[in-house]
Amino acid sequence: MLVAEKDSAAPDGAADRPAESLARSSSSPWSAHASTADLSALRLPARGTSVLDVVAALDSRARGGDAVAACRLAVEVLTCSPQNLDRQLRSGHARSQIEALAPEDPRRSVWLARLEEIADRNEQRARACEGADGALLRRAPHYALMGALRRNPTSTAIFLSSDQVTAGMLVADPALAAAYRQHGWPMLRGLIESGHPMGAFLWQAALPRPASGGLQPFSLSPISELIPADWRRPELAWALWQRVSQAMEVPAFGLPAGSTDPAAQSDAETLFQRYFARSPWMHLRDVQDEPPDSPLRGLDVDAHYQRQLNYCDPAYLP
């Protein structure tokens, strides 16, 4: 059993009104630098090492409380999931789109060169994933949980992201589901209070769209049903995500700017100033490297892998 036994997560959140309770709080139970008992001063395997060798080197350290090692394992194993490696199959479609451009289009040669670079790096990633079978892939959420229980924000974001830890995984693993139910909401609140952008993103993504009241895909994620009633404020959650995105200069996709009501925008500004305005996590980026019109967008598995590894270690923060 890989599920950690000891609860090192934040205490259960009271069902306060979000803007009021967070603004009143003098200190957060979580912190961007709160990963405790890390042994990250010890040498980590070189990037690009076979995932099986990384697991052999770090598994005991993760079990022993090294949150950075646990996060590294979660990233390594999840990078080997079919949904990531299948991006390579889309390279052929991207090449067809690029080659269909007029020869004089300046983007054609640039994108073809970039495609070759991306394909080479992704091929190296695929080789590093050789031997990663289904049994190993099922361990990924447990590694993320180990890091999250030691308050590693990147591990927490991975554990709470429905595209990484799916409802199907929880149904198939009762112990993991129990840990998710117990820790999911305190972890999400902790991400928000630590000023981590994924906290704002996951909060708004777990709630219905404020404009229509209809569900968006992430609102079907397991975290949705764990959010207390007084925190189920889609307008506020969306306004905070808009504000965080604006500060990070990345698009807050989904709804047009200015779609929230003034009261929600005011409350969101209170939360932003309290937790995000000076957060070191706001200096980080985990967005697509390619412009929206590029057929290469979303193909660079290795670039995402490298960023996630950086973010596993709070020492990387500015």
Side-chain angles (χ1 to χ4, degrees), residues 61 131 297:
R61 286 171 57 176
R297 190 171 175 83

Side-chain angles (χ1 to χ4, degrees), residues 153-154 157 191-201 275-276 279 281-282:
T154 299
L191 274 185
I192 296 169
E193 294 182 347
S194 71
H196 196 295
M198 280 298 292
F201 173 76
Y275 290 107
F276 294 89
S279 168
W281 290 104
M282 293 293 289

Side-chain angles (χ1 to χ4, degrees), residues 118-137:
I118 290 172
D120 287 345
R121 289 201 303 273
N122 285 352
E123 180 58 33
Q124 293 175 20
R125 277 279 82 230
R127 287 198 294 270
C129 288
E130 290 177 357
D133 57 13
L136 179 58
L137 292 175

